Amino acid sequence: MTKTAYETVVAARSKDKVATADLINNIFSNFTEFHGDRQLNDDPSIVGGIAKLNGTPVTVIGTQKGKNTAENIERHFGMVEPEGYRKAIRLMKQAEKFKRPVITFVNTSGAYPGMDAEYHGQGSAIANSLLVGMELKVPYISVIVGEAGSGGALALATGDTVWMMENSIYSVLSPEGYASIVWKDSKRVMEAAEDLKLTPQILLEEGIIDKIVPEVVDQSSTQNLKNMLIAEVERLQRFSADELVEKRHERFSKF
Amino acid sequence: MQNKFSLPTQDEIVKRLKKIPEGLWRECPNCHEKFYYRRAGVYEVCPNCGYGARLGSRKRIKLFCDAFEEWDKALATDVHHLDENYKKKLAAGIKNTHVNESVLTGKARIGNYDFAVGVMDSRFIMGSLGQVTGQKLAHLFQEATKQHLPVILFTASGGARMQDGIHSLMQMAKVSDEVARHSEEGLLYISILTDPTTGGVTASFAMQGDIILSEPKTLIGFAGRRVIEQTINQKPPKDFQQAETLLKNGFLDDIVERKDLKAYLNNLLDLHSDK
Ligand SMILES: [Zn+2]
C-alpha cells in the first residue's frame, strides 16, 4: 500500500532510518574517512572518504545525522555548513584526479541556517558545489536516503543517476517552511507535504529521479542497494569523461 | 547691507518643508531617514546612507546600458493548469515589470562593448527563481557562449519559487551548468548582486561570477534572518547579511555605487576585450 505524502515525510525522518555511516560500512570495504576543507574547519555533518565497491575504488560522501541528541547537536542534525560543502568539493575534485566514481548519500533537511554559516559563505559554498558536481568528469551517483531539502541537498545530488529510497522526500523547501510561508502556520505540514509533491513516486513520474531504491532495513536490502550501485557504476564507466558530462548536462537541461 | 538673495533661515526651511506634500517624501528602507524624493536623483539612492532603491529591470537597462535588444521576450509560464492564486501572482508580476518573468534578458552594449545581459526584478513574485526564469537564464548563457559574449547579470531574488516546487530547485543546477560551459570558453561573467539577493539564487549563479560585485547596503544571504533567529535563538546584528560585511569576509570583489557603475563596467569590459 502506498503511503500518503505526510506518511512518507514521517518515515523519511524516522529514528530507525538507516544512517549514512552504516550504509558506508555495510556496502563498501576499506572505507577511509578524510576530514577538513583545507581552509578553516572540519564539518562533522559531512562524512567522506575513499572505499572499495566490489573491488573498485570509489569516493563516498554523505550527510550524517546523529544517532543521539549529543551527536545530533555536534552534527547539526545533518545540516551542512560551508566547510562541509567545501570538504565535499575537495573530495570530488580528488576523485576526478584519480578517476574514481563518486557516490553521495543525502539525508539533510537543508544547509545549516546559522550566523557563522552566512559569514563563511553558505551561498558561495553551495554554488561552487553545483559547478563542480555538474561538471564532474567521473561517474556520479546520488542516493537520497531520507530528507533532501533545498539547495543544501541539491549541492550533493547532481549525479548522472539520482535515486531515492522508498521512505525519502525531496523538495525545494521543508514542508514546515512551505506551510509557514503559504499559510503562516507551520503546523499545516500534511497539506504542505501534498502540495510539494515530494514523494519518490511523484518525482519518478516527473523524471526528477531515475529509480526508487527498496528501503534499506536489513542485510538483504543492503545487499540489494550494493548490487544496484555496482551495476550502475559499471554502466556509467563505459562512457568517456566528456560523454558523462554531456549526458549529465542533458539530464538537467530538460528541467 | 541686506542681501536680498540671502539663504533662508532655519525656521523658513522647516516651514517650507512642511508644505511639501506627503507623496513627495521617501523613507529609506535601510536607514529610515525621510527625504524629499528629488534628492535621491536619477539613481534613486538614499542621500543619507547610500542605499539604492529597488529598481525595475527595464529602468536598470536604461540607466546602465547604451543599447539593448531583448531576447525571449514572449517566453512565459504556461498558466493553463496553474491554481488561481499563482496565476494572479504571475499576472501582477507582468503588470508591475512589463516583463513576462522575473528576469529580463538580451544583448546590450556599454560604449564599444557588446555583452549578454540579465536583470532580475524583485517586483516579479519577489524575483523568485521560477522554471521559466531558469529557462531564460540558461538560454542567456548558451547564447552568450554561442556568440562569444561576456555576461553581466544583475541578481535580485527572494530565492526559489515555491509554486514551481522541485522544478525551481532544478534551475539552480541547470543554470550553474550553463555558467560552467560559458566559463570553459574563456568568457567573462560578471554578477552584480542587488537588493535583495538571497536563497537559491545566492547559492548558485549569483556567487559564480568571475567578478562578483554589489551595490551599497545590499542584502545578500542564503538563509532567511527569521529562520536563523529560530535556529540559533539569538538575533544576528543588523549588518550580518549586508554587502559591506560580505566584502570584508571575502565574498565580493567590490561594492560599486550606481553613479560609477557604467564606467566601472566599461573598464572591466575593456580589460577583457580581445582588441
Ligand atoms: Zn538610507
Side-chain angles (χ1 to χ4, degrees), chain A residues 118 127 135 206 246 249 255, chain B residues 167 171 177-178 184 223 241:
Chain A
E118 293 291 315
E135 291 291 309
E206 300 229 349
E246 190 53 38
H249 173 75
F255 304 136
Chain B
H167 290 278
Q171 303 314 309
D177 205 25
E178 296 301 340
E184 272 163 24
Q241 289 179 320

Side-chain angles (χ1 to χ4, degrees), chain B residues 120-180:
Chain B
M120 298 187 81
D121 196 325
S122 63
R123 300 167 311 159
F124 196 109
I125 321 185
M126 268 314 289
S128 55
L129 180 57
Q131 194 170 13
V132 176
T133 316
Q135 202 179 331
K136 285 180 87 171
L137 285 165
H139 190 223
L140 175 77
F141 281 94
Q142 271 165 14
E143 203 52 39
T145 307
K146 209 189 284 174
Q147 298 190 28
H148 214 74
L149 293 170
V151 172
I152 297 179
L153 177 56
F154 293 86
T155 62
S157 181
R161 184 175 299 166
M162 288 179 320
Q163 293 89 343
D164 285 0
I166 196 83
H167 290 278
S168 171
L169 192 65
M170 294 300 127
Q171 303 314 309
M172 292 168 65
K174 183 167 102 180
V175 177
S176 293
D177 205 25
E178 296 301 340
V179 172

Side-chain angles (χ1 to χ4, degrees), chain B residues 184-201:
Chain B
E184 272 163 24
E185 294 299 311
L187 296 166
L188 171 69
Y189 168 32
I190 302 169
S191 58
I192 305 169
L193 282 50
T194 75
D195 190 66
T197 293
T198 62
V201 167

Side-chain angles (χ1 to χ4, degrees), chain A residues 1-14 166-169 189-190 193-194 198-199:
Chain A
M1 205 180 74
T2 43
K3 292 188 175 71
T4 66
Y6 181 66
E7 283 164 356
T8 312
V9 172
V10 173
R13 293 170 175 173
S14 161
E166 259 172 89
N167 296 332
S168 71
I169 56 171
V189 186
M190 281 189 190
E194 290 290 340
L198 44 59
T199 64

